[in-house]
Amino acid sequence: MRENCNFNNKRFRLNISTSFSSSKYIIILMDLSKTHIELVERVYKTLESNIALYKSRKGNSLTLAEKILYGHAKNVSDTSLIRGEDFGDFLPDRVAMQDATAQMALLQFMQAELPETAVPTTVHCDHLIQAYEGANSDLNVANKTHKEVFDFLRSASEKYNIGFWGPGAGIIHQVVLEQYAFPGGMMIGTDSHTPNAGGLGMVAIGVGGADAVDVMAGMPFNTKIPKLIGVKLTGKLNGWTAPKDIILKVAEILTVKGGTNAIVEYFGEGTKQISTTGKATITNMGAEIGATCSIFPFDKKGEEYLDATGRSDIAVLANKNMHLLTADDDVVSNPDNFFDQVVEINLDTLEPHIVGPHTPDLARPVSRLKEDAIDNSYPLQISSALIGSCTNSSYEDIGRAAYIAREAAKKGLKSKVPLMVTPGSEITRATIERDGYLRDLEAIGATVLANACGPCIGQWKRDDIEPGESNSIVSSYNRNFPARNDGNKETLSFIGSPETVIGLALGGTLEFDFLNDTLINDEGDEVKLSPPTAEELPPEGFASTLEGFIQPKEDSNVEVVIDPNSERLQVLTPFDPFDANNYTDMTVLMKAVGKCTTDHISPAGKWLRFRGHLENISQNLFIGVNNAFSDESGTGINTINNKVMTLPELAKTYHEKNINWIAIGDENYGEGSSREHAAMEPRFRGCRVVLVKSFARIHEANLKKQGILPLTFADKTDYEKIEQNDKLTIKNLENLTPGSKVTVSIQKEDGSAVDIDTNHSLSEEQISWFESGSALNYIKSN
Ligand code: MIC
Ligand code: SF4
């Protein structure tokens, strides 16, 4: 129900929804530019009672992750306590979406035919802006190139009561941290780095658009009860070592799949020394180890950050509720009794690290980079250095980078390579400009890009490298999959802290160990770089601006127009319902070998253009996959005529001939982003089953949502048994129940057959989605 009322002497529209729990009222205030104190008060009240109930059930002390997660359970009395297996229903406080994923999410939300979203929701335009000449001109180009999409997102936001952050306003996770995150809250976001908000004590989870649609439609968020990994931090960061080095170390220890279906909770004395934005860097990159999310306890640094970002009221309230926002003492003193796994890192001795190429868990200390680069024949010259992105673009990050730049300039040094800086939000950009940091960076040769994802998502127009040319780049981003930044698979991307990136840019080569080596300046003198220091928060406060933010309209009769001839946007039609015959004699489209991330399945870069058009974006399906049955990546053999085709063409051919097909994958299949296109495209092209050694969490959830059956080999060596011309049949589909084994019969070309056991992880409700053809079909029919 929507009603008007007077609130704090201002007129706001209140939206009170009682659709999913009589004890939980969702109040959306008209002003959607921030989280209002009333919402936080309500959340703490619910946490108080839910935590007490959960504690009495568990009969033990609680980790912080449990407090916030179970504190948001739809029904805490019957939410399973079994971690890593059972599913639970939760009621997040907010939803955030970015432009590249919001298009599909909103197209799906429109199918639900609801007047507005049930929880506070925002859209952020950040992924579509291409980096080329610098902030202003790049933004102008983006506004023209993507006008149709930005117009669609803005009008849909107006219609459905969603806060809209236009192009240039900032990258989703920085804006969320500055405006919306609050300790003890729970949010979901259609981007895998949503856990950024965990730096401010929030359970913030990256999801596919269909999950977001559930919550926007007033239904709970259904997810696997996560396992708990505790990371104990002792000591204090010092010298060149930065928060980024903590998460790079964690990634080395746990690997890219070590956090799958787990919440990583940081605790210990060492956490108290790290700024909130530093903590957010760490929780942001928890996505790189596959974690459901990561979280830090609320502390003095959190209070300071809330004060600095104009939210002292929330800081006061949070301080009064410390018991809800920190783990119980017993957990901190006896972590082994509470976490499924405990990792300890001593910050006193942690060295600056650098990871890559091609995977974020290939780590070494900076002091070993030279040796590693020579041993592996990585191109030693660095071709570009990039700092910023949603991971490392805070006031403190840029301040430390600017310190090194300032000192270097005084010593007669300049960056030896093109250096690019991406601020995370307009608020931070305006502040670092005012405080002279941008000037310091520009003085050593930096170009400042728009407040957007840019080269981090392949939106980078490079003139300096030929396609296919081997080269090395360094960045303070979070992802480094092949072809990620510039579309070139031969670009080797290394990731480090902003200070590491600036240090290497000044040296110009991977051989330069800025901790120990010296450089020759423009006067021929030998000089050494000194370790950075900088303020965590601006002493004069953040520049105050809401530039680019648009409140939803009071009147919701806005028309959302989609041109039927558009190549960018396409109205969705529901997927076909379940039919057991579709799972008989399925053709094997491809068998992925090794890493198969969502960037391999549905790459970004130039394809971002079609994120709102399912048919058009399906032209990129599996284009980066290394297929066991063909030599060149992205290709496969057409089993009808034995011809080699690109995988998207092959999928289209089978689709047009009504041939049902299956895709086979290796470990951690679907690693990386939340983009549900990687699940919708195969579904659209006739894929019925994806059978792999193991899945990344968000991708497996996306497959389920879209009606594809995700299966894992019970015996991983069975992966070897599958050959190009096999036909696969799922045998006992009618008896699908939670936890049941699924038999897959492999019919060989010579007429022989072999049965293998596989597992599914569908809950009872998810089986209903599957039987309806997709989660959305299920919702609509109920
Ligand atoms: C990413 O960092 O990979 C992205 C691009 O932000 C994705 C979302 C997308 O593909 O749109 C993510 O992390 O989920
Ligand atoms: Fe944008 Fe890169 Fe952050 Fe993804 S990881 S949200 S592409 S800046």
Side-chain angles (χ1 to χ4, degrees), residues 98-101 127 173 190-193 207 287-288 390 453 456-457 478-479 481 484 598-599 602 604 608 611 672-675 677 698:
Q98 44 89 341
D99 51 0
T101 48
H127 281 61
H173 311 304
T190 60
D191 191 281
S192 67
H193 293 106
V207 298
E288 272 42 68
C390 65
C453 303
C456 180
I457 180 62
N478 45 27
R479 297 219 195 279
F481 305 139
R484 164 84 183 185
T598 49
D599 279 69
S602 173
L608 284 172
R611 281 293 185 87
S673 98
S674 66
R675 64 190 73 142
H677 307 76
I698 308 181

PDB file of all heavy atoms in Angstrom, residues 98-101 127 173 190-193 207 287-288 390 453 456-457 478-479 481 484 598-599 602 604 608 611 672-675 677 698, ligand 1:
ATOM      1  N   GLN A  98      23.558  -2.487 -11.179  1.00  0.00           N
ATOM      2  CA  GLN A  98      24.335  -1.614 -12.074  1.00  0.00           C
ATOM      3  C   GLN A  98      23.787  -1.720 -13.498  1.00  0.00           C
ATOM      4  O   GLN A  98      23.084  -2.675 -13.828  1.00  0.00           O
ATOM      5  CB  GLN A  98      25.839  -1.904 -11.960  1.00  0.00           C
ATOM      6  CG  GLN A  98      26.237  -3.383 -11.923  1.00  0.00           C
ATOM      7  CD  GLN A  98      26.482  -3.985 -13.259  1.00  0.00           C
ATOM      8  OE1 GLN A  98      26.051  -3.456 -14.254  1.00  0.00           O
ATOM      9  NE2 GLN A  98      27.176  -5.111 -13.282  1.00  0.00           N
ATOM     10  N   ASP A  99      24.152  -0.754 -14.335  1.00  0.00           N
ATOM     11  CA  ASP A  99      23.514  -0.637 -15.645  1.00  0.00           C
ATOM     12  C   ASP A  99      23.602  -1.884 -16.529  1.00  0.00           C
ATOM     13  O   ASP A  99      22.671  -2.207 -17.252  1.00  0.00           O
ATOM     14  CB  ASP A  99      24.061   0.590 -16.409  1.00  0.00           C
ATOM     15  CG  ASP A  99      25.584   0.648 -16.459  1.00  0.00           C
ATOM     16  OD1 ASP A  99      26.243  -0.243 -15.909  1.00  0.00           O
ATOM     17  OD2 ASP A  99      26.116   1.612 -17.072  1.00  0.00           O
ATOM     18  N   ALA A 100      24.721  -2.615 -16.445  1.00  0.00           N
ATOM     19  CA  ALA A 100      24.894  -3.756 -17.356  1.00  0.00           C
ATOM     20  C   ALA A 100      24.053  -4.956 -16.944  1.00  0.00           C
ATOM     21  O   ALA A 100      23.707  -5.798 -17.771  1.00  0.00           O
ATOM     22  CB  ALA A 100      26.372  -4.149 -17.427  1.00  0.00           C
ATOM     23  N   THR A 101      23.710  -5.057 -15.649  1.00  0.00           N
ATOM     24  CA  THR A 101      22.879  -6.174 -15.203  1.00  0.00           C
ATOM     25  C   THR A 101      21.437  -5.722 -14.950  1.00  0.00           C
ATOM     26  O   THR A 101      20.511  -6.531 -15.019  1.00  0.00           O
ATOM     27  CB  THR A 101      23.441  -6.795 -13.907  1.00  0.00           C
ATOM     28  OG1 THR A 101      23.729  -5.737 -12.990  1.00  0.00           O
ATOM     29  CG2 THR A 101      24.695  -7.601 -14.172  1.00  0.00           C
ATOM     30  N   HIS A 127      28.964   0.802 -15.809  1.00  0.00           N
ATOM     31  CA  HIS A 127      29.692  -0.184 -16.614  1.00  0.00           C
ATOM     32  C   HIS A 127      29.788   0.183 -18.092  1.00  0.00           C
ATOM     33  O   HIS A 127      30.646  -0.324 -18.797  1.00  0.00           O
ATOM     34  CB  HIS A 127      29.025  -1.555 -16.497  1.00  0.00           C
ATOM     35  CG  HIS A 127      29.367  -2.285 -15.228  1.00  0.00           C
ATOM     36  ND1 HIS A 127      29.061  -1.801 -13.988  1.00  0.00           N
ATOM     37  CD2 HIS A 127      29.993  -3.468 -15.020  1.00  0.00           C
ATOM     38  CE1 HIS A 127      29.478  -2.642 -13.067  1.00  0.00           C
ATOM     39  NE2 HIS A 127      30.049  -3.671 -13.667  1.00  0.00           N
ATOM     40  N   HIS A 173      29.536   0.236  -6.145  1.00  0.00           N
ATOM     41  CA  HIS A 173      29.921  -0.175  -4.786  1.00  0.00           C
ATOM     42  C   HIS A 173      30.449   0.977  -3.948  1.00  0.00           C
ATOM     43  O   HIS A 173      30.305   0.980  -2.731  1.00  0.00           O
ATOM     44  CB  HIS A 173      30.925  -1.321  -4.860  1.00  0.00           C
ATOM     45  CG  HIS A 173      30.463  -2.411  -5.775  1.00  0.00           C
ATOM     46  ND1 HIS A 173      29.255  -3.035  -5.598  1.00  0.00           N
ATOM     47  CD2 HIS A 173      31.004  -2.947  -6.896  1.00  0.00           C
ATOM     48  CE1 HIS A 173      29.078  -3.919  -6.573  1.00  0.00           C
ATOM     49  NE2 HIS A 173      30.124  -3.878  -7.379  1.00  0.00           N
ATOM     50  N   THR A 190      23.074  -6.785  -7.978  1.00  0.00           N
ATOM     51  CA  THR A 190      23.313  -7.551  -9.201  1.00  0.00           C
ATOM     52  C   THR A 190      24.719  -7.264  -9.717  1.00  0.00           C
ATOM     53  O   THR A 190      24.911  -6.782 -10.826  1.00  0.00           O
ATOM     54  CB  THR A 190      22.267  -7.248 -10.282  1.00  0.00           C
ATOM     55  OG1 THR A 190      22.336  -5.848 -10.594  1.00  0.00           O
ATOM     56  CG2 THR A 190      20.888  -7.610  -9.849  1.00  0.00           C
ATOM     57  N   ASP A 191      25.680  -7.582  -8.886  1.00  0.00           N
ATOM     58  CA  ASP A 191      27.082  -7.452  -9.241  1.00  0.00           C
ATOM     59  C   ASP A 191      27.856  -8.239  -8.201  1.00  0.00           C
ATOM     60  O   ASP A 191      27.569  -8.148  -7.006  1.00  0.00           O
ATOM     61  CB  ASP A 191      27.513  -5.982  -9.232  1.00  0.00           C
ATOM     62  CG  ASP A 191      28.886  -5.837  -9.855  1.00  0.00           C
ATOM     63  OD1 ASP A 191      29.894  -6.128  -9.173  1.00  0.00           O
ATOM     64  OD2 ASP A 191      28.963  -5.479 -11.043  1.00  0.00           O
ATOM     65  N   SER A 192      28.842  -9.000  -8.650  1.00  0.00           N
ATOM     66  CA  SER A 192      29.514  -9.913  -7.715  1.00  0.00           C
ATOM     67  C   SER A 192      30.327  -9.184  -6.653  1.00  0.00           C
ATOM     68  O   SER A 192      30.649  -9.766  -5.627  1.00  0.00           O
ATOM     69  CB  SER A 192      30.401 -10.882  -8.478  1.00  0.00           C
ATOM     70  OG  SER A 192      31.458 -10.172  -9.062  1.00  0.00           O
ATOM     71  N   HIS A 193      30.653  -7.903  -6.885  1.00  0.00           N
ATOM     72  CA  HIS A 193      31.444  -7.195  -5.868  1.00  0.00           C
ATOM     73  C   HIS A 193      30.585  -6.409  -4.867  1.00  0.00           C
ATOM     74  O   HIS A 193      31.104  -5.596  -4.100  1.00  0.00           O
ATOM     75  CB  HIS A 193      32.487  -6.303  -6.550  1.00  0.00           C
ATOM     76  CG  HIS A 193      33.516  -7.137  -7.250  1.00  0.00           C
ATOM     77  ND1 HIS A 193      33.554  -7.277  -8.612  1.00  0.00           N
ATOM     78  CD2 HIS A 193      34.496  -7.920  -6.760  1.00  0.00           C
ATOM     79  CE1 HIS A 193      34.526  -8.116  -8.937  1.00  0.00           C
ATOM     80  NE2 HIS A 193      35.114  -8.514  -7.835  1.00  0.00           N
ATOM     81  N   VAL A 207      24.312 -11.177  -6.598  1.00  0.00           N
ATOM     82  CA  VAL A 207      23.320 -12.130  -7.123  1.00  0.00           C
ATOM     83  C   VAL A 207      23.049 -11.847  -8.601  1.00  0.00           C
ATOM     84  O   VAL A 207      23.407 -10.786  -9.108  1.00  0.00           O
ATOM     85  CB  VAL A 207      21.970 -12.000  -6.365  1.00  0.00           C
ATOM     86  CG1 VAL A 207      22.122 -12.333  -4.904  1.00  0.00           C
ATOM     87  CG2 VAL A 207      21.376 -10.591  -6.538  1.00  0.00           C
ATOM     88  N   ALA A 287      34.940 -11.661  -3.556  1.00  0.00           N
ATOM     89  CA  ALA A 287      34.311 -12.251  -4.752  1.00  0.00           C
ATOM     90  C   ALA A 287      35.330 -13.096  -5.515  1.00  0.00           C
ATOM     91  O   ALA A 287      34.967 -14.079  -6.167  1.00  0.00           O
ATOM     92  CB  ALA A 287      33.768 -11.148  -5.648  1.00  0.00           C
ATOM     93  N   GLU A 288      36.591 -12.720  -5.444  1.00  0.00           N
ATOM     94  CA  GLU A 288      37.628 -13.419  -6.216  1.00  0.00           C
ATOM     95  C   GLU A 288      37.915 -14.816  -5.660  1.00  0.00           C
ATOM     96  O   GLU A 288      38.538 -15.632  -6.324  1.00  0.00           O
ATOM     97  CB  GLU A 288      38.917 -12.585  -6.250  1.00  0.00           C
ATOM     98  CG  GLU A 288      38.980 -11.583  -7.394  1.00  0.00           C
ATOM     99  CD  GLU A 288      37.719 -10.817  -7.682  1.00  0.00           C
ATOM    100  OE1 GLU A 288      37.332  -9.995  -6.831  1.00  0.00           O
ATOM    101  OE2 GLU A 288      37.108 -11.028  -8.732  1.00  0.00           O
ATOM    102  N   CYS A 390      36.076  -0.055  -8.484  1.00  0.00           N
ATOM    103  CA  CYS A 390      35.261  -0.128  -7.270  1.00  0.00           C
ATOM    104  C   CYS A 390      36.056  -0.656  -6.098  1.00  0.00           C
ATOM    105  O   CYS A 390      35.653  -0.517  -4.953  1.00  0.00           O
ATOM    106  CB  CYS A 390      34.040  -1.019  -7.515  1.00  0.00           C
ATOM    107  SG  CYS A 390      34.468  -2.732  -7.841  1.00  0.00           S
ATOM    108  N   CYS A 453      33.472   2.088 -14.439  1.00  0.00           N
ATOM    109  CA  CYS A 453      34.290   0.870 -14.455  1.00  0.00           C
ATOM    110  C   CYS A 453      35.393   0.931 -15.517  1.00  0.00           C
ATOM    111  O   CYS A 453      36.502   0.459 -15.302  1.00  0.00           O
ATOM    112  CB  CYS A 453      33.400  -0.340 -14.708  1.00  0.00           C
ATOM    113  SG  CYS A 453      32.069  -0.490 -13.500  1.00  0.00           S
ATOM    114  N   CYS A 456      38.322  -1.690 -16.343  1.00  0.00           N
ATOM    115  CA  CYS A 456      38.128  -2.869 -15.493  1.00  0.00           C
ATOM    116  C   CYS A 456      37.146  -3.845 -16.135  1.00  0.00           C
ATOM    117  O   CYS A 456      37.184  -5.040 -15.875  1.00  0.00           O
ATOM    118  CB  CYS A 456      37.642  -2.445 -14.115  1.00  0.00           C
ATOM    119  SG  CYS A 456      37.387  -3.828 -13.023  1.00  0.00           S
ATOM    120  N   ILE A 457      36.241  -3.333 -16.968  1.00  0.00           N
ATOM    121  CA  ILE A 457      35.228  -4.208 -17.581  1.00  0.00           C
ATOM    122  C   ILE A 457      35.426  -4.271 -19.104  1.00  0.00           C
ATOM    123  O   ILE A 457      34.518  -4.560 -19.873  1.00  0.00           O
ATOM    124  CB  ILE A 457      33.803  -3.754 -17.160  1.00  0.00           C
ATOM    125  CG1 ILE A 457      32.674  -4.603 -17.759  1.00  0.00           C
ATOM    126  CG2 ILE A 457      33.539  -2.300 -17.465  1.00  0.00           C
ATOM    127  CD1 ILE A 457      32.726  -6.000 -17.357  1.00  0.00           C
ATOM    128  N   ASN A 478      40.275  -5.800  -9.554  1.00  0.00           N
ATOM    129  CA  ASN A 478      40.121  -7.075  -8.849  1.00  0.00           C
ATOM    130  C   ASN A 478      40.132  -8.285  -9.783  1.00  0.00           C
ATOM    131  O   ASN A 478      40.340  -9.402  -9.342  1.00  0.00           O
ATOM    132  CB  ASN A 478      38.838  -7.070  -8.007  1.00  0.00           C
ATOM    133  CG  ASN A 478      37.666  -6.503  -8.772  1.00  0.00           C
ATOM    134  OD1 ASN A 478      37.631  -6.578  -9.996  1.00  0.00           O
ATOM    135  ND2 ASN A 478      36.704  -5.932  -8.063  1.00  0.00           N
ATOM    136  N   ARG A 479      39.882  -8.074 -11.039  1.00  0.00           N
ATOM    137  CA  ARG A 479      39.809  -9.225 -11.953  1.00  0.00           C
ATOM    138  C   ARG A 479      40.943  -9.156 -12.954  1.00  0.00           C
ATOM    139  O   ARG A 479      41.327  -8.064 -13.390  1.00  0.00           O
ATOM    140  CB  ARG A 479      38.515  -9.173 -12.741  1.00  0.00           C
ATOM    141  CG  ARG A 479      37.255  -9.285 -11.922  1.00  0.00           C
ATOM    142  CD  ARG A 479      36.282 -10.146 -12.698  1.00  0.00           C
ATOM    143  NE  ARG A 479      34.923 -10.068 -12.206  1.00  0.00           N
ATOM    144  CZ  ARG A 479      34.481 -10.751 -11.160  1.00  0.00           C
ATOM    145  NH1 ARG A 479      35.311 -11.497 -10.460  1.00  0.00           N
ATOM    146  NH2 ARG A 479      33.209 -10.684 -10.815  1.00  0.00           N
ATOM    147  N   PHE A 481      41.114 -11.914 -15.620  1.00  0.00           N
ATOM    148  CA  PHE A 481      40.909 -13.017 -16.563  1.00  0.00           C
ATOM    149  C   PHE A 481      41.424 -12.614 -17.947  1.00  0.00           C
ATOM    150  O   PHE A 481      41.450 -11.430 -18.281  1.00  0.00           O
ATOM    151  CB  PHE A 481      39.420 -13.356 -16.673  1.00  0.00           C
ATOM    152  CG  PHE A 481      38.768 -13.668 -15.365  1.00  0.00           C
ATOM    153  CD1 PHE A 481      37.507 -13.191 -15.071  1.00  0.00           C
ATOM    154  CD2 PHE A 481      39.413 -14.452 -14.416  1.00  0.00           C
ATOM    155  CE1 PHE A 481      36.888 -13.481 -13.857  1.00  0.00           C
ATOM    156  CE2 PHE A 481      38.807 -14.738 -13.204  1.00  0.00           C
ATOM    157  CZ  PHE A 481      37.540 -14.252 -12.927  1.00  0.00           C
ATOM    158  N   ARG A 484      40.105  -9.622 -20.340  1.00  0.00           N
ATOM    159  CA  ARG A 484      39.174  -8.859 -19.499  1.00  0.00           C
ATOM    160  C   ARG A 484      39.250  -7.335 -19.749  1.00  0.00           C
ATOM    161  O   ARG A 484      38.237  -6.670 -19.883  1.00  0.00           O
ATOM    162  CB  ARG A 484      39.510  -9.166 -18.037  1.00  0.00           C
ATOM    163  CG  ARG A 484      38.934  -8.212 -17.023  1.00  0.00           C
ATOM    164  CD  ARG A 484      37.539  -8.586 -16.668  1.00  0.00           C
ATOM    165  NE  ARG A 484      36.976  -7.617 -15.740  1.00  0.00           N
ATOM    166  CZ  ARG A 484      35.797  -7.741 -15.175  1.00  0.00           C
ATOM    167  NH1 ARG A 484      35.045  -8.778 -15.448  1.00  0.00           N
ATOM    168  NH2 ARG A 484      35.338  -6.839 -14.351  1.00  0.00           N
ATOM    169  N   THR A 598      32.622 -16.611 -16.199  1.00  0.00           N
ATOM    170  CA  THR A 598      31.517 -15.993 -16.945  1.00  0.00           C
ATOM    171  C   THR A 598      32.075 -15.110 -18.062  1.00  0.00           C
ATOM    172  O   THR A 598      31.380 -14.853 -19.033  1.00  0.00           O
ATOM    173  CB  THR A 598      30.610 -15.165 -16.010  1.00  0.00           C
ATOM    174  OG1 THR A 598      31.438 -14.334 -15.219  1.00  0.00           O
ATOM    175  CG2 THR A 598      29.771 -16.048 -15.117  1.00  0.00           C
ATOM    176  N   ASP A 599      33.327 -14.665 -17.913  1.00  0.00           N
ATOM    177  CA  ASP A 599      33.940 -13.904 -19.015  1.00  0.00           C
ATOM    178  C   ASP A 599      34.237 -14.820 -20.206  1.00  0.00           C
ATOM    179  O   ASP A 599      34.276 -14.367 -21.341  1.00  0.00           O
ATOM    180  CB  ASP A 599      35.233 -13.217 -18.561  1.00  0.00           C
ATOM    181  CG  ASP A 599      34.969 -11.919 -17.804  1.00  0.00           C
ATOM    182  OD1 ASP A 599      34.452 -12.000 -16.685  1.00  0.00           O
ATOM    183  OD2 ASP A 599      35.251 -10.842 -18.323  1.00  0.00           O
ATOM    184  N   SER A 602      30.203 -15.508 -21.433  1.00  0.00           N
ATOM    185  CA  SER A 602      29.568 -14.337 -22.049  1.00  0.00           C
ATOM    186  C   SER A 602      30.445 -13.118 -21.750  1.00  0.00           C
ATOM    187  O   SER A 602      30.221 -12.426 -20.747  1.00  0.00           O
ATOM    188  CB  SER A 602      28.156 -14.138 -21.474  1.00  0.00           C
ATOM    189  OG  SER A 602      27.618 -12.919 -21.951  1.00  0.00           O
ATOM    190  N   ALA A 604      32.404  -9.488 -21.629  1.00  0.00           N
ATOM    191  CA  ALA A 604      31.860  -8.128 -21.509  1.00  0.00           C
ATOM    192  C   ALA A 604      32.425  -7.278 -22.651  1.00  0.00           C
ATOM    193  O   ALA A 604      32.184  -7.584 -23.816  1.00  0.00           O
ATOM    194  CB  ALA A 604      32.191  -7.572 -20.134  1.00  0.00           C
ATOM    195  N   LEU A 608      28.911  -5.616 -24.010  1.00  0.00           N
ATOM    196  CA  LEU A 608      28.055  -4.917 -23.039  1.00  0.00           C
ATOM    197  C   LEU A 608      26.907  -4.202 -23.745  1.00  0.00           C
ATOM    198  O   LEU A 608      25.845  -3.966 -23.185  1.00  0.00           O
ATOM    199  CB  LEU A 608      28.884  -3.893 -22.260  1.00  0.00           C
ATOM    200  CG  LEU A 608      29.800  -4.468 -21.176  1.00  0.00           C
ATOM    201  CD1 LEU A 608      30.702  -3.395 -20.631  1.00  0.00           C
ATOM    202  CD2 LEU A 608      28.981  -5.095 -20.055  1.00  0.00           C
ATOM    203  N   ARG A 611      23.484  -6.066 -23.544  1.00  0.00           N
ATOM    204  CA  ARG A 611      23.060  -6.653 -22.265  1.00  0.00           C
ATOM    205  C   ARG A 611      21.540  -6.632 -22.050  1.00  0.00           C
ATOM    206  O   ARG A 611      21.019  -7.303 -21.161  1.00  0.00           O
ATOM    207  CB  ARG A 611      23.763  -5.943 -21.109  1.00  0.00           C
ATOM    208  CG  ARG A 611      25.214  -6.388 -20.861  1.00  0.00           C
ATOM    209  CD  ARG A 611      25.259  -7.807 -20.377  1.00  0.00           C
ATOM    210  NE  ARG A 611      26.593  -8.233 -20.019  1.00  0.00           N
ATOM    211  CZ  ARG A 611      27.151  -8.066 -18.837  1.00  0.00           C
ATOM    212  NH1 ARG A 611      26.501  -7.432 -17.885  1.00  0.00           N
ATOM    213  NH2 ARG A 611      28.362  -8.528 -18.613  1.00  0.00           N
ATOM    214  N   GLY A 672      33.542 -15.887 -11.234  1.00  0.00           N
ATOM    215  CA  GLY A 672      33.583 -14.480 -11.623  1.00  0.00           C
ATOM    216  C   GLY A 672      32.270 -13.768 -11.414  1.00  0.00           C
ATOM    217  O   GLY A 672      31.728 -13.795 -10.315  1.00  0.00           O
ATOM    218  N   SER A 673      31.755 -13.209 -12.471  1.00  0.00           N
ATOM    219  CA  SER A 673      30.710 -12.194 -12.307  1.00  0.00           C
ATOM    220  C   SER A 673      29.322 -12.781 -12.046  1.00  0.00           C
ATOM    221  O   SER A 673      29.089 -13.984 -12.147  1.00  0.00           O
ATOM    222  CB  SER A 673      30.668 -11.321 -13.557  1.00  0.00           C
ATOM    223  OG  SER A 673      29.661 -11.754 -14.414  1.00  0.00           O
ATOM    224  N   SER A 674      28.403 -11.874 -11.765  1.00  0.00           N
ATOM    225  CA  SER A 674      27.016 -12.248 -11.472  1.00  0.00           C
ATOM    226  C   SER A 674      26.164 -12.259 -12.730  1.00  0.00           C
ATOM    227  O   SER A 674      24.981 -12.572 -12.663  1.00  0.00           O
ATOM    228  CB  SER A 674      26.430 -11.214 -10.513  1.00  0.00           C
ATOM    229  OG  SER A 674      26.352  -9.959 -11.182  1.00  0.00           O
ATOM    230  N   ARG A 675      26.751 -11.907 -13.888  1.00  0.00           N
ATOM    231  CA  ARG A 675      25.925 -11.693 -15.087  1.00  0.00           C
ATOM    232  C   ARG A 675      25.091 -12.928 -15.420  1.00  0.00           C
ATOM    233  O   ARG A 675      25.613 -14.009 -15.707  1.00  0.00           O
ATOM    234  CB  ARG A 675      26.795 -11.257 -16.274  1.00  0.00           C
ATOM    235  CG  ARG A 675      27.800 -12.241 -16.764  1.00  0.00           C
ATOM    236  CD  ARG A 675      28.755 -11.623 -17.763  1.00  0.00           C
ATOM    237  NE  ARG A 675      29.691 -10.736 -17.103  1.00  0.00           N
ATOM    238  CZ  ARG A 675      30.981 -10.605 -17.429  1.00  0.00           C
ATOM    239  NH1 ARG A 675      31.493 -11.280 -18.429  1.00  0.00           N
ATOM    240  NH2 ARG A 675      31.775  -9.797 -16.775  1.00  0.00           N
ATOM    241  N   HIS A 677      23.334 -13.349 -17.927  1.00  0.00           N
ATOM    242  CA  HIS A 677      23.375 -13.639 -19.362  1.00  0.00           C
ATOM    243  C   HIS A 677      24.090 -14.959 -19.604  1.00  0.00           C
ATOM    244  O   HIS A 677      23.756 -15.681 -20.535  1.00  0.00           O
ATOM    245  CB  HIS A 677      24.100 -12.509 -20.092  1.00  0.00           C
ATOM    246  CG  HIS A 677      23.519 -11.162 -19.775  1.00  0.00           C
ATOM    247  ND1 HIS A 677      23.763 -10.518 -18.593  1.00  0.00           N
ATOM    248  CD2 HIS A 677      22.676 -10.369 -20.477  1.00  0.00           C
ATOM    249  CE1 HIS A 677      23.107  -9.366 -18.574  1.00  0.00           C
ATOM    250  NE2 HIS A 677      22.436  -9.257 -19.703  1.00  0.00           N
ATOM    251  N   ILE A 698      27.279 -18.003  -7.654  1.00  0.00           N
ATOM    252  CA  ILE A 698      26.252 -17.160  -8.300  1.00  0.00           C
ATOM    253  C   ILE A 698      25.821 -17.791  -9.620  1.00  0.00           C
ATOM    254  O   ILE A 698      24.643 -17.799  -9.968  1.00  0.00           O
ATOM    255  CB  ILE A 698      26.752 -15.719  -8.571  1.00  0.00           C
ATOM    256  CG1 ILE A 698      27.328 -15.093  -7.300  1.00  0.00           C
ATOM    257  CG2 ILE A 698      25.620 -14.853  -9.108  1.00  0.00           C
ATOM    258  CD1 ILE A 698      27.825 -13.648  -7.485  1.00  0.00           C
TER     259      ILE A 698
HETATM  260  C1  MIC B   1      32.629  -7.762 -13.136  1.00  0.00           C
HETATM  261  O1  MIC B   1      33.397  -7.170 -12.392  1.00  0.00           O
HETATM  262  O2  MIC B   1      32.894  -8.859 -13.671  1.00  0.00           O
HETATM  263  C2  MIC B   1      31.285  -7.134 -13.429  1.00  0.00           C
HETATM  264  C3  MIC B   1      31.329  -6.655 -14.802  1.00  0.00           C
HETATM  265  O3  MIC B   1      31.076  -6.031 -12.571  1.00  0.00           O
HETATM  266  C4  MIC B   1      30.200  -8.186 -13.215  1.00  0.00           C
HETATM  267  C5  MIC B   1      28.849  -7.768 -13.586  1.00  0.00           C
HETATM  268  C6  MIC B   1      28.566  -7.784 -15.068  1.00  0.00           C
HETATM  269  O4  MIC B   1      29.035  -8.651 -15.790  1.00  0.00           O
HETATM  270  O5  MIC B   1      27.808  -6.923 -15.484  1.00  0.00           O
HETATM  271  C7  MIC B   1      30.155  -8.718 -11.786  1.00  0.00           C
HETATM  272  O6  MIC B   1      31.132  -8.644 -11.076  1.00  0.00           O
HETATM  273  O7  MIC B   1      29.140  -9.289 -11.388  1.00  0.00           O
END
